[in-house]
Amino acid sequence: LARYFTWDGIRAIDYLIRRPEVDPGRIGVTGLSGGGTQSSYIGAMDERVLAVAPTGFISSYRRLLESIGPQDAEQVFYHGLVSGIDHADLLEIRAPKPTLHVTTTRDFFSIQGARETEREVKRAFAVLGSAENYRRVEDDYGHGFTRKNNEATYAFFQKHLGLPGDPTEHTYPYLTKKELTVTRTGQVSTSLNSENAFSINRREAQPMLQSLAKSRRSLDAHLPKFLDEARRLSGFQSTASLHAEPVFRGQYQRSGYRVEKWGLQGEGDYILPTLVFVPDGAGPFPAIIYAHSEGKQAEAEVGGQLETLVKQGFAVAAVDLLGFGETKFYRTRGHANVQPFYNAQLAGRSVVGINAGDTLQVFEFLKRRSDVLKEQVGAIAVGATGPAVLHSAALEKNIDWLVLQESLSSYESIVQNEFYAVNANALVAGALTAYDLPDLVASL
């Protein structure tokens, strides 16, 4: 989405410089918050921008991830962090052109990150002999404009765009909604029947889908190639060798079976809360890994699906994979279940790939138990956990059988349908460049 936002800004400049009253050599860009984002991108990527003043955005990824996490979709570059991109780069690439970095001390975009970025950017401008062309201004305020910062912005543009006048801020009446409306409906897509992000993405996906269809004509060559790509794009890392000691957290007895509570080690510094349902008797029993998008408790009550399975003679490990159940990421600023997906995307990974590796942890835990038949471990995934468990089964080939219940059937369906409700933790960014979920099924 960052690309589309940037391109729209470039097109706005294309329009401006065609107007007779506009000097194409004196173009400036500024904006707050999402506008600060766009200012940073356009100023970095369009050489025609002489002066830029992003407001309420530029901090640093380190401090961003330590505080509020990644924000809106356009602020998340695909594989950005693993490629070495940080906020400072968006300003440094402009050197020696005039750049004003506008900040506030109580912004949710970390002021510490902004100050650290200032030190880095100042060095870059100084090395290129233009230290005077970069400056950061700061005011004591939250996320928004202040008179002090605004007047600094006015003075900045007056100086570098050769504008006369006084930078003192004055109050003017706002334009009305009617005055601001350019198109008949107030939306370009409905007024002008224009394309949108969905239609552009769908069109751009077509060559990928055609390439996949062609590759599938020779399955013997296609399968090993796409499995390697699925590992890479999902960021899957086998955790089978971790063998961290699980933590037993107690148990309780029910009619015909017991329920054990375990904390299993995930790939990182976290545990996977797990309930293990074990039939009465000595065993060993065939076993099931059970991952539900509503969490392990969804079918754990008396009379639920887990009881049905255990009374059929299975030992069942119901696990909360990352982003589900006890590990669910709770809503912050309206971004539910999106920030973990963005974190992974920045790092060149996916929640799907991480959860696929953690599914192997559950498999290894079951395999080490004396009451489990080691060659008879299957898996059931319900809802948004399906793609992760499918990746695990396809990439390691350890799971004996697999049931996907109410699971996403393909990533192609996401780009072909404009309206859908899908948990972002089920998605692998960039997957359609090399494979889709049906390919993983075929590999089994």
Side-chain angles (χ1 to χ4, degrees):
L1 198 59
R3 183 183 65 166
Y4 300 153
F5 273 55
T6 305
W7 181 245
D8 286 348
I10 290 171
R11 294 296 291 135
I13 295 172
D14 289 344
Y15 166 73
L16 275 177
I17 63 176
R18 283 167 173 78
R19 293 184 64 100
E21 70 271 32
V22 172
D23 179 353
R26 292 189 293 161
I27 298 294
V29 185
T30 189
L32 167 73
S33 191
T37 307
Q38 295 177 63
S39 302
S40 304
Y41 293 173
I42 300 161
M45 300 181 198
D46 194 324
E47 291 288 341
R48 298 172 298 182
V49 177
L50 175 60
V52 69
T55 303
F57 168 65
I58 291 287
S59 177
S60 72
Y61 268 119
R62 174 183 175 181
R63 301 308 179 188
L64 190 67
L65 299 184
E66 287 176 345
S67 53
I68 57 172
Q71 294 301 287
D72 300 322
E74 70 274 10
Q75 296 177 2
V76 180
F77 285 155
Y78 175 74
H79 291 190
L81 280 179
V82 76
S83 301
I85 299 172
D86 206 342
H87 283 187
D89 298 300
L90 298 171
L91 304 184
E92 289 167 346
I93 198 173
R94 287 189 43 76
K97 293 182 178 178
T99 302
L100 182 68
H101 179 185
V102 186
T103 63
T104 50
T105 57
R106 289 178 275 133
D107 200 336
F108 49 73
F109 285 102
S110 167
I111 188 62
Q112 181 177 354
R115 290 171 176 175
E116 291 166 348
T117 290
E118 175 190 15
R119 291 197 289 271
E120 179 181 331
V121 175
K122 282 178 72 172
R123 289 196 299 271
F125 273 74
V127 164
L128 293 173
S130 58
E132 73 284 355
N133 277 353
Y134 169 77
R135 180 181 167 219
R136 186 180 69 86
V137 295
E138 175 181 302
D139 200 4
D140 179 20
Y141 193 68
H143 185 66
F145 290 119
T146 73
R147 177 168 183 156
K148 174 186 173 182
N149 283 347
N150 289 349
E151 291 182 348
T153 301
Y154 307 148
F156 167 78
F157 282 121
Q158 285 175 325
K159 175 182 177 181
H160 294 289
L161 299 185
L163 299 169
D166 179 359
T168 303
E169 181 166 278
H170 299 282
T171 300
Y172 292 94
Y174 290 114
L175 293 173
T176 66
K177 182 177 179 180
K178 182 177 180 180
E179 289 172 322
L180 287 167
T181 300
V182 174
T183 60
R184 181 178 55 82
T185 64
Q187 297 290 333
V188 174
S189 59
T190 52
S191 292
L192 303 179
N193 195 30
S194 72
E195 292 214 68
N196 55 27
F198 161 71
S199 63
I200 296 171
N201 285 340
R202 181 172 60 179
R203 184 178 70 242
E204 292 209 351
Q206 293 312 305
M208 302 176 198
L209 297 173
Q210 292 167 5
S211 177
L212 278 177
K214 182 178 179 181
S215 180
R216 288 169 183 148
R217 293 172 191 165
S218 177
L219 280 179
D220 288 342
H222 175 67
L223 290 178
K225 180 176 68 175
F226 93 74
L227 286 172
D228 285 343
E229 285 296 281
R231 287 177 181 271
R232 181 181 67 84
L233 290 165
S234 70
F236 171 82
Q237 295 176 8
S238 177
T239 61
S241 61
L242 285 181
H243 292 310
E245 189 69 26
V247 177
F248 182 58
R249 306 173 73 184
Q251 69 180 43
Y252 49 94
Q253 185 68 36
R254 286 182 177 171
S255 177
Y257 65 97
R258 69 182 183 274
V259 182
E260 302 174 356
K261 297 192 287 186
W262 290 88
L264 308 185
Q265 178 65 47
E267 174 193 318
D269 186 17
Y270 58 89
I271 66 165
L272 303 169
T274 305
L275 296 176
V276 181
F277 294 69
V278 186
D280 288 346
F285 307 102
I288 299 172
I289 301 166
Y290 187 90
H292 198 296
S293 59
E294 297 301 318
K296 63 189 180 308
Q297 77 284 355
E299 292 289 340
E301 297 297 326
V302 172
Q305 188 176 26
L306 294 174
E307 180 173 90
T308 300
L309 292 169
V310 75
K311 288 194 170 182
Q312 289 175 350
F314 292 98
V316 185
V319 61
D320 282 342
L321 296 174
L322 276 183
F324 305 99
E326 290 187 63
T327 70
K328 183 177 180 180
F329 179 84
Y330 288 95
R331 190 179 300 272
T332 300
R333 294 187 64 240
H335 300 176
N337 294 318
V338 176
Q339 288 195 342
F341 169 71
Y342 289 159
N343 271 330
Q345 183 175 321
L346 284 165
R349 303 193 67 190
S350 69
V351 178
V352 167
I354 295 167
N355 279 338
D358 284 346
T359 299
L360 286 181
Q361 280 293 90
V362 186
F363 175 85
E364 292 294 324
F365 165 75
L366 287 172
K367 196 172 72 170
R368 292 194 297 271
R369 290 179 63 109
S370 61
D371 55 3
V372 166
L373 289 167
K374 297 171 178 51
E375 304 305 318
Q376 296 185 37
V377 179
I380 298 174
V382 183
T385 61
V389 178
L390 174 58
H391 275 75
S392 183
L395 296 177
E396 289 292 315
K397 300 294 191 295
N398 289 329
I399 296 172
D400 187 46
W401 54 266
L402 177 63
V403 172
L404 301 174
Q405 181 178 332
E406 301 172 9
S407 178
L408 183 64
S409 60
S410 71
Y411 291 140
E412 177 181 353
S413 66
I414 298 292
V415 298
Q416 298 286 24
N417 293 278
E418 186 164 9
F419 303 109
Y420 53 84
V422 173
N423 189 317
N425 291 332
L427 307 179
V428 175
L432 290 180
T433 60
Y435 76 104
D436 201 350
L437 299 179
D439 295 302
L440 298 177
V441 175
S443 76
L444 298 175

